Amino acid sequence: MSAQNSSSESGLNQELGVLVGFDGSELAAQAVRYGAIEAERRKTVLTVVTAYELPTMIYPNMASIPSEPEDDKAKTAAEKTLAEAVELLRDYNGEKSFRTAPGNSAGVLVTLSAGAEVVIVGARGRGGFMGRVLGSVSTALPAHSHCPTIVVPERSTPASADNGPVVVAVDGSDAGRVAMFTAAATADARKSELELVAVLPAGEEWLYWYPDLELSSEVTSRRQKQLTEGLEREAATLSEQFPDLKVTTSVPVGDPTETLVEISSRAQLTVMGTRGRGPVRSALLGSVSRGVLNHAEGPVMVVPS
């Protein structure tokens, strides 16, 4: 199956629109359903892709060569899997496109993301598609994607897509600021509330890195007030650009990952940058972004900087 040519109506001129990775698993089916809602919101095409890896073909003798080439067999299996997505979207009236593509699943989606407005995947999938632990695609893809990635966790349902605010983690970094403006545009398009959150780490975490630091409830309160004032300035800036958008702020105290995971359970979408300004961050995704993706109870959007 090949993709149909299409053009976005959202103004971004990204041919693939909302791109969804599908491997036949139930969570991938959930990602497809979520993608259909997102494509309707954005008034753009929904593109579903199933990737398949080309096998390394080494045969000891002529007799062991299969009658059907292994690469053709892999493609046929992928087309059979993709047919399940076609059936899932049988009643979807929006513009839709389906394709198979050879290569590593994460690599295929990263490449195609250059022509998409957003990529959506399930947090885990079947076998090699979404990978192990959280999933190779749902961790590698957000780190390398050319557009925002939404990861749909197992506990999320399309029916709850319009509940709660869009929440964005703001930490003062450039990546966090890009994520903030992307979240504002997303919330504005969804006609939902936007909540700016800056998590103030608990005192014990600061002491680990700065053992001589003076800590007291007064210091924490002062820092919390400073962060709140900074968020309120950001909220005022966003309100100028998005006059119909309701923006609120919060500065909870606690572990950033645990706090954002808890927030994800009440948010319709939790938005983060790929990296923050914390003292520890991985080479690909920041430690907080990775931790939230691993444990989130609602959809998470990771915005590349």
Side-chain angles (χ1 to χ4, degrees):
M1 298 182 185
S2 61
Q4 307 163 358
N5 290 330
S6 58
S7 60
S8 170
E9 298 176 13
S10 65
L12 296 181
N13 292 321
Q14 298 289 29
E15 179 187 0
L16 301 181
V18 173
L19 176 65
V20 183
F22 182 75
D23 70 346
S25 66
E26 178 51 40
L27 191 49
Q30 192 164 299
V32 167
R33 290 188 283 266
Y34 189 97
I37 295 172
E38 189 68 19
E40 284 186 331
R41 272 197 203 101
R42 293 170 178 259
K43 296 181 173 59
T44 190
V45 63
L46 172 65
T47 302
V48 182
V49 61
T50 296
Y52 61 96
E53 295 199 38
L54 296 175
T56 302
M57 293 170 283
I58 301 176
Y59 307 113
N61 51 58
M62 293 293 291
S64 62
I65 298 177
S67 57
E68 180 184 10
E70 293 294 325
D71 52 349
D72 289 349
K73 185 177 179 181
K75 183 177 181 180
T76 299
E79 289 177 341
K80 183 177 179 180
T81 296
L82 190 60
E84 298 175 23
V86 174
E87 180 63 22
L88 278 171
L89 294 169
R90 181 180 53 184
D91 298 326
Y92 177 69
N93 295 321
E95 186 179 4
K96 53 195 174 184
S97 177
F98 303 88
R99 64 167 65 187
T100 59
N104 171 271
S105 302
V108 165
L109 290 173
V110 167
T111 299
L112 293 177
S113 71
E117 296 180 20
V118 64
V119 185
I120 300 175
V121 293
R124 294 174 180 82
R126 177 179 296 164
F129 192 87
M130 302 303 180
R132 305 154 193 83
V133 190
L134 170 64
S136 61
V137 173
S138 53
T139 51
L141 176 62
H144 298 286
S145 177
H146 300 284
C147 68
T149 301
I150 296 178
V151 177
V152 181
E154 191 171 358
R155 290 172 290 276
S156 177
T157 61
S160 64
D162 293 325
N163 295 335
V166 171
V167 177
V168 59
V170 179
D171 62 1
S173 67
D174 291 340
R177 192 166 179 79
V178 171
M180 182 184 71
F181 281 100
T182 302
T186 300
D188 189 57
R190 295 185 177 199
K191 302 188 186 311
S192 64
E193 179 181 318
L194 175 67
E195 181 179 343
L196 309 183
V197 175
V199 183
L200 179 62
E204 293 77 8
E205 184 173 338
W206 285 107
L207 283 174
Y208 179 84
W209 297 102
Y210 308 103
D212 298 328
L213 185 68
E214 176 192 356
L215 286 177
S216 66
S217 58
E218 181 182 348
V219 171
T220 299
S221 178
R222 186 166 64 245
R223 180 58 179 151
Q224 199 169 22
K225 182 180 179 182
Q226 291 172 342
L227 289 173
T228 299
E229 291 172 349
L231 286 186
E232 289 175 350
R233 287 193 293 272
E234 297 283 27
T237 299
L238 292 174
S239 295
E240 290 177 1
Q241 296 192 30
F242 303 94
D244 297 327
L245 180 62
K246 180 181 179 182
V247 185
T248 63
T249 65
S250 65
V251 184
V253 178
D255 176 80
T257 299
E258 293 177 0
T259 301
L260 291 172
V261 166
E262 182 179 349
I263 287 173
S264 73
S265 66
R266 63 172 176 81
Q268 65 172 276
L269 184 67
T270 303
V271 184
M272 306 179 296
T274 50
R275 298 176 181 86
R277 61 173 11 171
V280 176
R281 60 191 187 189
S282 74
L284 299 178
L285 284 178
S287 58
V288 173
S289 300
R290 182 179 290 274
V292 174
L293 281 176
N294 270 288
H295 302 289
E297 297 184 19
V300 176
M301 175 188 279
V302 179
V303 180
S305 55

